[in-house]
């Protein structure tokens, strides 16, 4: 992750992270080409200021997806749907919350479960440890009176679950001359489809399931 010369932290080519935005940071968003903002804050949180009018004026989209500090309320389905909503945002996008900690966790979950960011490295469950050890330095950029250990452990388990799903999914299987079936395709497999003579793909997965490895 590279630090931008501002209050924003660039996690990768598509995602910025940050704490509560203000009038100055809305201008910075435009300067760095941010096209959408993904707000994780709940309405009742202290200091939660709505900058929707300012963002609209700058041509920056806004998605509000409140998530609690309390990871006991987090579920795999919740994160699947949250990451699906983030996928739908124009990129680059900025994720923010009160202190930036939830934003960092969701940003890491997004990077880990999208193979264009993990570069196909997460092939086994133990690989998640290496991935997070390389990315956890991002947390040092954010401070707050919040227990980050439970957040960190939950996201690690979430990613490990996705790795396990990937390893146990059915691979590309030819049923007849012109029909193949498969579980979720990785980007590498998609690039190799032409080698099997495949001309079209029918995706039967709903968007809510997009918290998996792949594009």
């Amino acid at each position: 992750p590279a630090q931008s010369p501002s209050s924003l932290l660039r996690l990768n080519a598509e995602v910025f992270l940050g704490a509560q935005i203000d009038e100055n940071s809305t201008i910075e968003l435009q300067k760095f080409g941010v096209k959408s903002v993904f707000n994780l804050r709940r309405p009742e949180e202290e200091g939660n200021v709505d900058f929707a009018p300012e963002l609209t004026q700058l041509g920056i989209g806004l998605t509000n997806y409140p998530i609690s500090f309390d990871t006991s309320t987090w579920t795999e389905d919740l994160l699947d749907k949250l990451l699906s909503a983030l996928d739908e945002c124009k990129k680059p996008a900025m994720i923010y919350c009160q202190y930036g900690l939830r934003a960092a966790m969701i940003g890491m979950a997004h990077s880990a479960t999208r193979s264009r960011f993990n570069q196909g490295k997460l092939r086994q469950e133990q690989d998640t440890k290496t991935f997070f050890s390389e990315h956890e330095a991002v947390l040092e950029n954010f401070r707050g009176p919040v227990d980050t250990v439970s957040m960190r452990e939950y996201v690690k388990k979430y990613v490990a679950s996705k790795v396990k799903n990937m390893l146990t999914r059915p691979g590309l299987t030819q049923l007849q001359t012109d029909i193949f079936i498969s579980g979720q395709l990785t980007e590498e497999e998609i690039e190799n489809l032409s080698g099997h003579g495949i001309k079209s793909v029918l995706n039967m997965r709903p968007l809510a399931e997009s918290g998996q490895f792949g594009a």
Side-chain angles (χ1 to χ4, degrees):
Q3 180 70 53
S4 302
S6 69
S7 59
L8 305 180
L9 182 82
R10 186 157 207 163
L11 182 64
N12 53 50
E14 294 186 2
V15 175
F16 286 88
L17 306 173
Q20 171 65 49
I21 61 175
D22 55 25
E23 292 180 1
N24 291 329
S25 55
T26 57
I27 301 301
E28 290 178 342
L29 292 174
Q30 186 182 46
K31 182 171 65 176
F32 290 115
V34 172
K35 296 181 179 179
S36 60
V37 168
F38 199 78
N39 175 23
L40 300 175
R41 301 201 65 183
R42 295 178 297 171
E44 67 272 18
E45 289 179 11
E46 181 180 357
N48 187 7
V49 181
D50 182 13
F51 284 94
E54 288 84 352
L55 292 172
T56 299
Q57 187 175 9
L58 293 170
I60 299 173
L62 173 64
T63 298
N64 293 308
Y65 209 112
I67 184 172
S68 173
F69 286 110
D70 183 4
T71 54
S72 68
T73 65
W74 294 15
T75 64
E76 187 166 330
D77 183 61
L78 171 67
L79 263 63
D80 282 353
K81 291 177 179 177
L82 187 155
L83 295 179
S84 173
L86 180 57
D87 282 336
E88 293 299 297
C89 293
K90 291 183 178 180
K91 305 297 188 300
M94 184 236 187
I95 312 172
Y96 84 90
C97 61
Q98 186 171 6
Y99 303 110
L101 297 170
R102 282 169 292 178
M105 293 300 172
I106 296 305
M108 285 192 286
H110 185 265
S111 288
T113 56
R114 274 61 184 164
S115 60
R116 59 184 177 276
F117 301 128
N118 66 51
Q119 299 177 333
K121 293 178 181 177
L122 301 186
R123 297 297 185 186
Q124 300 179 40
E125 290 182 65
Q126 61 263 31
D127 291 338
T128 62
K129 296 179 181 179
T130 302
F131 180 88
F132 278 96
S133 66
E134 293 173 351
H135 285 72
E136 283 183 331
V138 71
L139 295 175
E140 300 303 317
N141 294 275
F142 304 107
R143 293 284 187 273
V146 182
D147 173 21
T148 62
V149 175
S150 60
M151 287 187 193
R152 194 175 316 185
E153 291 306 310
Y154 188 91
V155 172
K156 285 181 179 179
K157 289 179 182 178
Y158 173 81
V159 174
S161 171
K162 300 308 176 186
V163 173
K164 185 176 181 180
N165 289 347
M166 180 188 68
L167 294 175
T168 58
R169 67 180 173 79
L172 192 65
T173 303
Q174 187 168 10
L175 289 184
Q176 54 193 57
T177 304
D178 57 353
I179 294 181
F180 291 78
I181 60 172
S182 176
Q184 170 64 46
L185 294 167
T186 65
E187 290 176 3
E188 182 181 3
E189 289 169 331
I190 291 174
E191 291 175 357
N192 292 330
L193 289 179
S194 60
H196 296 280
I198 294 174
K199 305 295 185 182
S200 61
V201 174
L202 174 63
N203 177 19
M204 302 185 71
R205 299 193 63 188
L207 285 175
E209 289 184 359
S210 68
Q212 303 279 359
F213 280 78

